Amino acid sequence: MEFDVKAEFPDLLKRLSDKYAEYEYLLEDDFLEVIAFSVYHHLRLSNDPTITSFNSMARSWIKRACIEALDRITKLGVTGGIKQYSENGYQFTLDGVEISTALASEIIPRVGYPR
């Protein structure tokens, strides 16, 4: 599915830009990448190749995935691929590598054979 992130999610782009305005190193391209990352995970987890638009539940999930990813970057200082971190007595463990298990489990994958 090809889509224009700016055209499909203009409100989300503005909300993320406003919410993370204090982090001056985050550029519009970073927000666009996080939205595309979240959409990719939604499509992958739903296993539905027929999705051409997103309903309110899907948009809500994508928004929460974006916030989760940006919080990892801004508050924890880690990017995707890190599940556990330890340094000088400080350590934390995330419950998922790229997105949390709780968030991922909200999506029920489509099963069956395509027609």
Side-chain angles (χ1 to χ4, degrees):
M1 172 182 160
E2 283 293 320
F3 68 95
D4 180 12
V5 173
K6 275 187 176 180
E8 186 73 31
F9 298 96
D11 296 337
L12 179 56
L13 182 59
K14 173 144 181 38
R15 179 176 162 103
L16 294 176
S17 297
D18 292 345
K19 181 175 174 69
Y20 295 95
E22 67 187 87
Y23 301 99
E24 297 168 352
Y25 58 88
L26 290 174
L27 306 174
E28 183 178 274
D29 286 346
D30 297 319
F31 296 122
L32 293 172
E33 285 180 23
V34 167
I35 295 170
F37 165 86
S38 300
V39 168
Y40 163 77
H41 281 289
H42 183 274
L43 294 172
R44 184 179 63 84
L45 291 168
S46 65
N47 196 31
D48 187 357
T50 64
I51 294 176
T52 57
S53 64
F54 300 97
N55 61 23
S56 62
M57 284 181 52
R59 288 179 177 277
S60 174
W61 189 94
I62 290 166
K63 177 182 75 176
R64 288 180 291 135
C66 288
I67 290 171
E68 184 177 282
L70 287 167
D71 281 350
R72 282 184 180 207
I73 295 167
T74 58
K75 294 182 173 68
L76 298 176
V78 298
T79 57
I82 295 176
K83 187 168 180 168
Q84 190 169 17
Y85 178 80
S86 175
E87 178 181 7
N88 295 333
Y90 172 75
Q91 70 180 36
F92 62 85
T93 302
L94 303 170
D95 72 342
V97 175
E98 293 181 332
I99 58 172
S100 69
T101 306
L103 194 58
S105 66
E106 290 182 16
I107 296 181
I108 299 169
R110 180 179 176 172
V111 295
Y113 293 103
R115 294 180 183 211

